[in-house]
Amino acid sequence: MCGIVGIIGKENAADILLQGLEKLEYRGYDSAGIYVTNGQGENHLIKSQGRIADLQKKMNGDVNGTIGIGHTRWATHGRPSERNAHPHTSENGRFTLVHNGVIENFEEIKQEFLQDNLMEGETDTEIVVHLIAYFSERTETTKDAFRQALSVIQGSYAFALIDTQEPEVIYVAKNKSPLLIGLGDDFNVICSDAMAMLQETSRFVEIADGELVIVRADAIRIEDQVGNLVFRESYEAQLDLNDIEKGTYPYYMLKEIDEQPSVMRRILAHYTNEAGETSVDPAVIDEAVHCDRIYIVACGTSYHAGWAGKRLLEELAGIPTEVHLSSEFSYNMPLLSEKPLFIFLSQSGETADSRQVLVKINELDLPSLTLTNVPGSTLSREAKHTLLLHAGPEIAVASTKAYTAQIAVLAVLASAIGRAKHEPAAAAFDLSTELSLAAAAMETIVNEKMMIGQLIEAFLADTRNAFYIGRGMDYFVSMEAALKLKEISYIQAEGFAAGELKHGTIALIEEGTPVIGIITDKKTAAHTRGNLKEVESRGAETLRIVSDSLAGKGDQLVIPEVHPLLSALVSVIPTQLIAYFATLHRGYDVDKPRNLAKSVTVE
Ligand code: M6R
């Protein structure tokens, strides 16, 4: 989704902004722009629809300056176009601004303050820069004008603002959208994601919602809503530049699929003690032991991981668990139990739909735990407790290692709670051994990736649609498998409970429709096989992903068997590879699917 970078105090500001924007490409965008000034009247505003490479071409290597801001835009209000791309400039040319988020009351602001202004594009952002210009004529300083504009704006935002009359400053503010200040020697940077500026600095300062920051080359000043000075310690970003490079891989997605066995081992190392016992923050366990129901709240792939989590928490910890889509939860809140515990699953920790639920939960003063891959992310900061996924940065839009990491950490959590509650199922579950076996099984499958690529080349070559079916844990994986396939290969895919097909959806099966069955559960294997036969008799082409102990003649993808509670960790890997290869065969960009963003920071 939209990304912001800014720099003040370095000669080659334009190059640094471009590099930063490239690092944000993975988040998804449709246009980009930069504004660079040398502070002595040489100002450059360059915008472009399409890729950063297009923007770079337009810059033609002759943009000089020491101060600048840059932006990647993922369209919300107004089509992707050069006109709508950021930065936006006030009519008098004095103020230039970039924005992430959504201004909810932009129509009202236009009516009340800006009726005489000519808008160039259709974005909600453009009104903000005009509003600042409007207030600047009625207040003493730019800071006051900015603050006044902030006081009338409703919605989510991260802003970076440059005033040509004060070119030694970048003004910054945020509410609900992420933004960080990076500290350098005689220069400072701003960014919506630390990755963007990691090549410049690894020392960052967080900004809280409602704060306004005055960033100079040699100092930053953070003020709260009423102008009081705020002191905040900086922190060292625990990110390695190598982790965010593709290395020899053609795509991040393939690298991240391959990393999954080592992520499992890393999770074990983080969450087990020397005796091999699970070790989780006692405050989290205490909270869970005293709750009467767990509510898992998440979106997309994380939501699918939540279903595997439900099974783990109910079986190992003995706690009834519900799984909810964040975007539905706040508006259709279920009747809550007396002592609920909320678990937010979010790779990025920034998903706006999940955050808005957390805000409500905090207002109700209910306990919450975030499982996230990004330390210091909004959902992590705002929840009462956090457990980290330790998956390393996930760059591909299609989430892979975060899904398996979420399930593994949920397994750790469920096992630790179950043991604290003396649940017999938890006592019998040897997490270290089972997770290590799952990691080895995952490794076996990733090592066979080329075979999977060949197998599905013809199977999914020209199809318009495809189905995944399974029961129980295999159904949960089917939902995730279908999401993966559709989001990057654009094949219309659905994940179904195998038994449910005959209640309607089987009408869609035609000659040659691909149906992939996932079979890892002894109890339901025969039934799922029966459902595959039903679709075959109606012309479907079937492919079976089957655990080795259940495999039969003709099963195309036989995978190692692991503990049934962890089967999703293993059965999902071939489905990730199927999505990857189907996309490659169809000639699409695996890492940057159309219309999608990595971190979805609007509701
Ligand atoms: O960062 P989050 O886990 O909160 O993101 C939730 C979804 O947007 C995300 O899982 C999305 O569905 C993925 N692109 C799927 O691959």
Side-chain angles (χ1 to χ4, degrees), residues 29-193:
Y29 70 106
D30 38 56
S31 55
I34 61 162
Y35 173 78
V36 174
T37 172
N38 67 357
Q40 282 147 19
E42 190 186 330
N43 307 327
H44 305 266
L45 175 67
I46 300 159
K47 310 203 259 187
S48 164
Q49 190 182 340
R51 298 282 170 208
I52 304 296
D54 302 317
L55 179 70
Q56 188 166 17
K57 262 191 224 136
K58 278 183 109 176
M59 287 165 59
N60 208 12
D62 52 21
V63 177
N64 300 311
T66 54
I67 307 151
I69 49 181
H71 190 264
T72 46
R73 172 173 187 256
W74 187 84
T76 55
H77 294 62
R79 298 176 63 77
S81 69
E82 194 173 315
R83 226 159 37 116
N84 287 334
H86 304 205
H88 290 290
T89 301
S90 59
E91 267 182 281
N92 59 9
R94 180 175 160 187
F95 299 102
T96 303
L97 175 107
V98 289
H99 165 223
N100 283 359
V102 174
I103 308 300
E104 285 157 10
N105 59 339
F106 77 103
E107 288 292 359
E108 291 87 334
I109 292 176
K110 226 193 288 187
Q111 286 307 317
E112 190 173 344
F113 302 99
L114 306 172
Q115 292 209 10
D116 299 334
N117 282 78
L118 261 184
M119 302 289 159
E120 275 190 8
E122 306 119 307
T123 69
D124 52 334
T125 304
E126 206 185 328
I127 65 108
V128 180
V129 78
H130 295 309
L131 189 67
I132 293 166
Y134 171 91
F135 284 126
S136 74
E137 285 161 16
R138 293 158 178 83
T139 50
E140 297 252 308
T141 64
T142 300
K143 186 175 84 178
D144 292 343
F146 191 25
R147 199 182 285 291
Q148 202 139 7
L150 295 176
S151 72
V152 299
I153 288 168
Q154 287 165 16
S156 56
Y157 56 76
F159 291 127
L161 169 76
I162 294 180
D163 173 0
T164 47
Q165 294 184 8
E166 235 182 306
E168 67 290 350
V169 177
I170 302 179
Y171 289 96
V172 163
K174 86 173 264 308
N175 182 44
K176 297 189 198 166
S177 293
L179 199 64
L180 297 168
I181 312 287
L183 306 179
D185 290 336
D186 289 330
F187 72 92
N188 286 311
V189 296
I190 58 171
C191 49
S192 48
D193 181 331

Side-chain angles (χ1 to χ4, degrees), residues 299-302 346-348 351 397-399 483-484 487 600:
C299 311
T301 289
S302 300
S346 176
Q347 187 285 131
S348 62
T351 302
V397 165
S399 185
L483 175 63
K484 213 78 323 166
E487 73 177 318
V600 186

Side-chain angles (χ1 to χ4, degrees), residues 513-550:
T513 306
V515 179
I516 303 172
I518 303 178
I519 303 173
T520 68
D521 184 353
K522 200 170 156 197
K523 293 195 301 297
T524 58
H527 284 106
T528 305
R529 283 191 187 280
N531 300 133
L532 286 166
K533 285 276 174 236
E534 286 158 15
V535 294
E536 277 172 7
S537 359
R538 286 156 181 86
E541 292 282 333
T542 63
L543 188 147
R544 291 173 295 282
I545 300 172
V546 190
S547 286
D548 48 15
S549 71
L550 303 172

Side-chain angles (χ1 to χ4, degrees), residues 253 297-304 326 344-354 371-374 379 389 394 396-400 402-403 406 480 483-484 487-488 593 596-600:
M253 184 182 178
V297 181
C299 311
T301 289
S302 300
Y303 169 75
H304 297 151
S326 315
F344 291 86
L345 293 185
S346 176
Q347 187 285 131
S348 62
E350 299 294 349
T351 302
D353 287 326
S354 300
L371 262 62
T372 182
N373 203 25
V374 184
L379 286 169
L389 301 179
E394 189 181 67
V397 165
S399 185
T400 53
Y403 172 80
Q406 281 166 339
E480 170 56 12
L483 175 63
K484 213 78 323 166
E487 73 177 318
I488 56 172
L596 290 181
K598 182 66 183 163
S599 167
V600 186

Side-chain angles (χ1 to χ4, degrees), residues 353-432:
D353 287 326
S354 300
R355 197 224 175 200
Q356 60 133 357
V357 181
L358 178 55
V359 168
K360 286 207 169 147
I361 295 316
N362 284 343
E363 279 164 12
L364 295 170
D365 203 19
L366 295 171
S368 54
L369 161 68
T370 290
L371 262 62
T372 182
N373 203 25
V374 184
S377 57
T378 306
L379 286 169
S380 164
R381 285 201 313 271
E382 296 182 358
K384 193 163 171 199
H385 308 281
T386 295
L387 293 178
L388 292 175
L389 301 179
H390 299 292
E394 189 181 67
I395 311 280
V397 165
S399 185
T400 53
K401 61 178 179 171
Y403 172 80
T404 45
Q406 281 166 339
I407 295 174
V409 174
L410 283 162
V412 168
L413 179 66
S415 146
I417 302 168
R419 281 173 183 259
K421 288 178 67 198
H422 306 291
E423 292 285 336
F429 182 72
D430 180 350
L431 177 86
S432 285

